[in-house]
Amino acid sequence: MQKREALEFDILFVGAGPANLASAIHLQRLLKRHNATAANPLEPSIAVIEKGRYAGAHLLSGALLDPRALDEFFPDYRAKGCPVEATVSKESIWFLQSKRKFAVPFIPEPFSNKNSLIVSLSRLGAWMAEQAENEGVQLFDNTAASAPFMENGKLTGIITDDKGIGKDGNSKTNFEPGLLLKAKAIVIGEGSDGSLTRQLSMHFPSISAAQRYETGVKETWEIPEERITAGEVHHTFGFPLESDVYGGGWLYAFSPTLVSVGCISSVGHDSPVCDPHLNLQRFKLHPLIANILKSGKMVESGARTITSGGLDAMPPLCGPGYLLTGESAGMVNMQRHKGIHLAMKSGTIAAETLFEALLHNDFSTGRLKSSEERFRNSWAWEELHAARNYRKAFDKGLYSGLVQAGLQLGIPGLSLKTTQLTLPGFTETPSFNPKKKKIALPVIPEFRADGMRTFSKERSLFSSGVMHEENQPCHLVIKREDIAEICLKKCKKEFANPCQHFCPAGVYEITTEPVPALKLNPSNCLHCKTCEIADPYGIITWTTPEGGGGPGYKLS
């Protein structure tokens, strides 16, 4: 085994998203409050590592923020300069056909965004990282958690990424081996489909619940004045998606001249023939959106997956040596299309659990399990429990889903189904059943971007700030024999190589000259994880590239 320098902390946070940053801030404030009167003050070493090249670089969302959690753990956030773009001033829900729109006559309370804040998640993350550092938390960016470090069946550390390895796998002159970061407790908040969480599930199978995912693609636009007011919010369903595809669109106004526009598409192992990037481009052509964006300029774009399984798909919040927060714990309410406030709440629950562990110098699994009780007694559990059947209701299509969702608004959690639904395409081990009756593949529409309102994947990548060290091993791992037997034969026949479409960054390309081959463009990767989730054969493994690689979001 390669010898690595080891650093030791009391508490280590993996991922600098809103969940872990809320946790670090809250924990430090709890400690300072305790130390103000304690005879024996606690002074633990606390660190956060982040794979992006700066805090917020990989954070992408709409984003509407319910301030409930922020009000609880950081009541002076406005006085501290929290970057709130606007407060929701007007909202509407539309059903779209290709050229027409129909307004939902009233907005049911569970869908209401009253008092919510419109924020740039990347700016919010950068601000929260600054606040954490002001509280005394050490933050290390450009540092990816590449593997767990296990001792006696317990997570006791993580191994960070090696730097300076060439495409051929050999060390370059600037080679630096990754570090071994050890801790008494490790808080994992990697976001959707985290690579460390996936590796950890090999040791603790209970983590690998049948989670499900959607892919969101979004753009930020500068537009002429007098078309929209700050705080205006529009949500849509219907066009451009077929009725059997779950998803929808949004447009949020940061200001009268800056808007966020995006589209969520359901992509899964059994429904991989989908192009989330194309869905957004078509969405922007609808008159509702086109009239707002006309003569505007796209200034940033990005993509990410979203956990959507809800309460029933959540893994346990803790295990030997670790806690899960945010989307690593499945904390998203798809009924409200919100997760930031739940991520923050999961972070404060983790902080209170860790504070008790520090007080008693006890980091046993039994002690960490108090996080489960805290969650069960919180408003976060109540919210997720009430919405637990919402996403499942749409498994048989839009119209059936609307009927079931309507029933759920009357009695929270009610569904026409009385037993747990089987989630198509979201099994623990993705597989393709060759005996299954073959269905006609959906047709992806022919589309040519105009370069003004609609864009190619290449042009969108330019606006994502994506960067990777070119001379490094490919972080998208597919076995050579799988490329030959599955990609170029079986997948081509059964699904027409959907990786060419479902990847919003154009990473996967099937070439025919001089011989058929799968060409990978890993430097395009937006770290959205759609490929690993949507691959119908489960042969793609997303691993961490060198820390600092990936998108560089600033407004998203």
Side-chain angles (χ1 to χ4, degrees):
M1 180 180 293
Q2 186 179 45
K3 187 170 180 61
R4 300 177 185 274
E5 182 182 352
L7 299 177
E8 295 196 14
F9 302 95
D10 291 293
I11 310 295
L12 177 65
F13 292 90
V14 177
N20 276 1
L21 291 172
S23 193
I25 291 168
H26 189 47
L27 178 57
Q28 283 290 71
R29 290 187 166 190
L30 289 173
L31 289 166
K32 287 179 180 179
R33 197 178 308 152
H34 167 80
N35 290 347
T37 57
N40 297 307
L42 296 170
E43 297 182 350
S45 56
I46 301 173
V48 180
I49 64 169
E50 164 58 36
K51 66 184 175 70
R53 55 186 179 273
Y54 53 84
H58 292 179
L59 295 179
L60 182 79
S61 180
L64 293 180
L65 170 63
D66 180 335
R68 185 172 187 177
L70 200 54
D71 285 333
E72 287 181 352
F73 82 93
F74 207 142
D76 54 345
Y77 66 93
R78 287 186 183 271
K80 293 284 189 181
C82 180
V84 175
E85 310 297 334
T87 300
V88 173
S89 59
K90 174 184 175 183
E91 57 180 320
S92 57
I93 301 176
W94 303 90
F95 171 63
L96 302 185
Q97 294 180 333
S98 60
K99 298 296 182 183
R100 299 198 294 171
K101 65 182 188 293
F102 303 90
V104 174
F106 72 98
I107 297 178
E109 187 61 31
F111 297 129
S112 174
N113 293 292
K114 185 179 179 180
N115 299 322
S116 289
L117 310 176
I118 299 179
V119 298
S120 155
L121 188 57
S122 53
R123 290 188 65 211
L124 178 66
W127 176 81
M128 290 182 70
E130 182 181 348
Q131 302 309 306
E133 290 183 302
N134 290 344
E135 296 285 353
V137 175
Q138 302 176 75
L139 194 149
F140 302 95
D141 52 23
N142 289 271
T143 305
S146 62
F149 183 79
M150 307 292 299
E151 292 180 302
N152 300 319
K154 179 180 180 180
L155 180 66
T156 59
I158 63 99
I159 297 170
T160 69
D161 58 302
D162 293 333
K163 291 180 167 59
I165 297 179
K167 287 183 179 179
D168 57 5
N170 295 322
S171 300
K172 298 187 288 189
T173 56
N174 62 340
F175 173 72
E176 295 180 15
L179 302 172
L180 169 59
L181 304 182
K182 300 197 72 176
K184 296 174 181 176
I186 297 172
V187 186
I188 303 172
E190 301 177 284
S192 174
D193 191 40
S195 56
L196 183 67
T197 310
R198 174 173 27 82
Q199 292 177 73
L200 205 58
S201 71
M202 299 176 188
H203 301 276
F204 307 109
S206 62
I207 291 177
S208 58
Q211 189 55 268
R212 62 194 304 164
Y213 302 89
E214 327 296 337
T215 292
V217 182
K218 69 159 286 186
E219 296 171 357
T220 305
W221 278 67
E222 291 177 350
I223 62 170
E225 291 190 73
E226 300 183 356
R227 292 186 185 166
I228 200 164
T229 59
E232 198 168 323
V233 167
H234 299 278
H235 284 112
T236 74
F237 60 97
F239 178 85
L241 304 176
E242 299 296 329
S243 63
D244 60 346
V245 177
Y246 176 80
W250 78 80
L251 189 143
Y252 307 151
F254 292 145
S255 74
T257 58
L258 190 68
V259 299
S260 165
V261 58
C263 186
I264 293 172
S265 307
S266 180
V267 185
H269 300 301
D270 281 1
S271 55
V273 185
C274 181
D275 191 327
H277 174 271
L278 174 59
N279 288 339
L280 173 58
Q281 304 313 308
R282 297 178 66 216
F283 176 60
K284 291 184 296 178
L285 294 177
H286 190 278
L288 172 68
I289 307 301
N291 291 334
I292 295 173
L293 300 183
K294 185 178 179 181
S295 302
K297 181 177 74 169
M298 189 261 282
V299 292
E300 188 167 276
S301 65
R304 59 160 292 187
T305 53
I306 304 163
T307 57
S308 61
L311 187 69
D312 292 343
M314 284 180 59
L317 294 182
C318 67
Y322 70 88
L323 292 162
L324 299 177
T325 61
E327 286 202 73
S328 292
M331 292 273 194
V332 176
N333 179 348
M334 287 304 289
Q335 187 177 62
R336 301 184 69 197
H337 284 177
K338 286 186 179 66
I340 303 171
H341 67 300
L342 293 167
M344 289 179 174
K345 184 61 177 178
S346 74
T348 62
I349 287 170
E352 290 160 11
T353 303
L354 293 168
F355 177 66
E356 291 292 328
L358 288 163
L359 277 178
H360 295 87
N361 193 28
D362 176 8
F363 296 87
S364 66
T365 305
R367 175 68 65 179
L368 297 181
K369 275 192 174 181
S370 64
S371 62
E372 298 278 0
E373 183 179 357
R374 285 185 170 90
F375 172 58
R376 290 279 300 193
N377 292 329
S378 73
W379 55 258
W381 185 88
E382 291 177 0
E383 179 178 323
L384 286 167
H385 184 264
R388 68 192 183 279
N389 287 327
Y390 176 79
R391 173 62 184 89
K392 300 174 189 175
F394 290 86
D395 283 341
K396 294 201 173 183
L398 174 63
Y399 304 111
S400 172
L402 290 173
V403 171
Q404 291 200 53
L407 289 175
Q408 291 175 35
L409 295 179
I411 305 176
L414 176 67
S415 170
L416 293 179
K417 300 280 186 179
T418 56
T419 57
Q420 185 168 351
L421 293 172
T422 300
L423 309 184
F426 297 89
T427 54
E428 291 186 17
T429 306
S431 61
F432 176 73
N433 181 1
K435 296 181 180 179
K436 186 169 105 177
K437 182 180 178 182
K438 186 175 178 181
I439 59 174
L441 293 176
V443 177
I444 293 182
E446 290 291 330
F447 184 80
R448 184 179 296 275
D450 61 24
M452 295 181 291
R453 190 180 308 154
T454 60
F455 306 100
S456 65
K457 292 181 180 181
E458 292 75 17
R459 173 62 180 83
S460 293
L461 276 173
F462 179 78
S463 298
S464 70
V466 67
M467 291 175 57
H468 289 90
E469 166 59 45
E470 292 282 352
N471 184 17
Q472 65 172 303
C474 180
H475 65 280
L476 302 154
V477 180
I478 310 175
K479 295 177 182 177
R480 190 170 298 178
E481 57 269 29
D482 286 341
I483 293 176
E485 294 301 319
I486 296 180
C487 298
L488 301 179
K489 293 181 181 178
K490 188 179 290 188
C491 188
K492 179 181 179 181
K493 177 182 178 181
E494 300 290 350
F495 292 103
N497 298 119
C499 59
Q500 299 175 100
H501 307 294
F502 61 57
C503 173
V507 169
Y508 301 88
E509 182 181 352
I510 301 294
T511 60
T512 57
E513 297 295 337
V515 294
L518 172 64
K519 179 184 176 183
L520 298 178
N521 304 297
S523 60
N524 290 4
C525 183
L526 289 170
H527 296 208
C528 72
K529 313 293 183 64
T530 300
C531 58
E532 192 171 60
I533 290 163
D535 167 24
Y537 297 95
I539 61 173
I540 300 173
T541 301
W542 193 98
T543 63
T544 53
E546 280 193 16
Y553 302 130
K554 296 183 183 294
L555 296 173
S556 296

